[in-house]
Amino acid sequence: MNSAVEFVALLRAELGLPLTEDDLERALHELPGWESVHLLWLVTILEQHTGRRINVVDLLEAPNLRYVYDLAADEQGVRDAR
């Protein structure tokens, strides 16, 4: 996951939600089809993909997917050159 584009593609594939890059800035509750259980799935997906543990407390504070991407990128030591 080297970019926000790859992050969104991963979420579309794994969560089955019709997400676009524009959705990164939207509040989680505003995302099409988003349910609270998606956050739990997201932890598992990101941990599997990065090979590292994701801080669930930080993830629970996520206002949007951009925050989640930044958190996962920090965990990987990778930053998107937005």
Side-chain angles (χ1 to χ4, degrees), residues 47-68:
E47 287 184 346
Q48 288 174 353
H49 193 74
T50 63
R52 295 184 175 92
R53 309 253 321 137
I54 301 295
N55 186 325
V56 177
V57 173
D58 287 343
L59 198 59
L60 290 173
E61 295 174 355
N64 57 38
L65 290 175
R66 173 67 67 186
Y67 181 94
V68 174

Side-chain angles (χ1 to χ4, degrees), residues 1-75:
M1 183 178 62
N2 294 319
S3 70
V5 173
E6 288 180 21
F7 176 67
V8 171
L10 176 69
L11 296 182
R12 274 196 312 261
E14 295 290 336
L15 298 179
L17 297 176
L19 301 172
T20 67
E21 285 181 72
D22 293 335
D23 292 321
L24 289 174
E25 308 301 333
R26 293 173 72 183
L28 294 177
H29 70 275
E30 294 177 351
L31 296 172
W34 184 264
E35 296 179 15
S36 58
V37 71
H38 285 112
L39 201 54
L40 299 175
W41 291 345
L42 193 51
V43 171
T44 303
I45 292 164
L46 292 175
E47 287 184 346
Q48 288 174 353
H49 193 74
T50 63
R52 295 184 175 92
R53 309 253 321 137
I54 301 295
N55 186 325
V56 177
V57 173
D58 287 343
L59 198 59
L60 290 173
E61 295 174 355
N64 57 38
L65 290 175
R66 173 67 67 186
Y67 181 94
V68 174
Y69 171 71
D70 288 343
L71 177 65
D74 281 347
E75 293 291 329

